[in-house]
Amino acid sequence: MTLPDAQILIVEDDEEIARLVRDLLAREGFRAGIAGDAAAMGAAMARFQPDLIILDLMLPGEDGLSICRRLRAKSDIPVLMLTAKSDEIDRVVGLEIGADDYLTKPFNPRELLARVRAILRRTRGERREEATRRFAFEGFVADLDARTLGGPSGEAVTLTSAEFDLLACFIERPRRVLSRDQLLDWTRGRDADPFDRTIDMTISRLRKKFETAAPGCSFFSTVRNNGYLFVPAVKSLT
């Protein structure tokens, strides 16, 4: 699925790679811009709001991890991180600070397109033509269409797109044990790597955010060799 109006910002200092990615995306109907570093990215985002940022890890000046961390402090724009490094820790850190996905260079163009489409399906796909889906649990209110989460005191709880997608899986299937394979399939598509640890890391981030909003809460239970269980009773508000 290509969303004709989807805008993608490529933050990459290698001009040849940046042009190749831009041209690849353009052939598939996306609108893409290029920024070579953090300053150029900031200037581009002052002109338009991208629907996805493809962010290189190794950049001159401020690196991709720092940019992603800073971006996550104020925005939930999805981030696909590119890295030439094979060290697992770089990918883990990228996901822990809020990147939605990562791809190691050199990459297959078809895989890049598949990951771009998967992220956009999650964040910009057509909403169901039905009543707003709002749910309450333990003082929290989640609006699955507006993609918002309100805390017990009415404050907004900021989630990345990947965090919200995963939470929505549990809210729609409360008190059911969901396996990692199921969660990967629902959030990242059938091409997801079965050894991908994204689900575990995203669960960890969700736990921390719920604990911050409601100290002492314990919403996610790990079921050994099976997956995870969302513990609270969920009530539909529609």
Side-chain angles (χ1 to χ4, degrees), residues 40-235:
M41 171 183 155
M45 293 182 66
R47 298 192 302 272
F48 72 96
Q49 180 86 345
D51 299 294
L52 170 66
I53 295 175
I54 298 177
L55 178 62
D56 187 33
L57 178 66
M58 301 299 293
L59 292 169
E62 186 177 9
D63 65 28
L65 291 176
S66 175
I67 291 173
C68 186
R69 184 181 294 109
R70 180 165 53 82
L71 184 68
R72 274 295 162 261
K74 60 182 179 180
S75 171
D76 63 354
I77 296 172
V79 173
L80 171 60
M81 188 164 282
L82 298 181
T83 173
K85 292 187 175 183
S86 58
D87 192 343
E88 179 70 19
I89 192 171
D90 294 300
R91 298 194 290 272
V92 170
V93 171
L95 292 169
E96 285 183 340
I97 63 176
D100 294 84
D101 202 352
Y102 66 83
L103 194 58
T104 303
K105 300 176 185 176
F107 51 82
N108 184 304
R110 292 180 62 184
E111 183 176 5
L112 174 66
L113 287 172
R115 290 178 184 261
V116 165
R117 290 190 177 107
I119 293 173
L120 291 175
R121 275 198 300 269
R122 297 198 303 264
T123 59
R124 301 192 72 242
E126 294 181 356
R127 294 176 178 174
R128 300 179 187 176
E129 296 182 359
E130 57 182 33
T132 300
R133 296 171 297 157
R134 297 176 68 244
F135 299 88
F137 55 94
E138 298 294 333
F140 289 84
V141 175
D143 187 324
L144 301 192
D145 290 319
R147 297 179 67 81
T148 59
L149 177 66
S153 300
E155 75 282 8
V157 180
T158 302
L159 302 180
T160 68
S161 61
E163 290 164 358
F164 196 93
D165 289 337
L166 188 59
L167 177 62
C169 289
F170 286 103
I171 288 175
E172 292 181 315
R173 305 165 184 86
R175 296 185 173 180
R176 282 176 50 188
V177 177
L178 305 180
S179 71
R180 290 180 180 83
D181 288 345
Q182 286 176 313
L183 294 167
L184 278 171
D185 188 12
W186 292 328
T187 60
R188 300 187 63 191
R190 296 185 179 277
D191 293 330
D193 184 342
F195 298 104
D196 195 322
R197 307 308 294 177
T198 304
I199 296 300
D200 305 287
M201 287 182 283
T202 307
I203 289 284
S204 178
R205 296 203 306 266
L206 283 171
R207 280 172 167 157
K208 291 176 182 177
K209 291 188 176 183
F210 276 119
E211 172 67 23
T212 299
C217 74
S218 181
F219 291 166
F220 296 95
S221 176
T222 302
V223 182
R224 189 174 180 181
N225 298 325
N226 284 283
Y228 294 99
L229 174 73
F230 191 59
V231 178
V234 176
K235 178 183 178 182

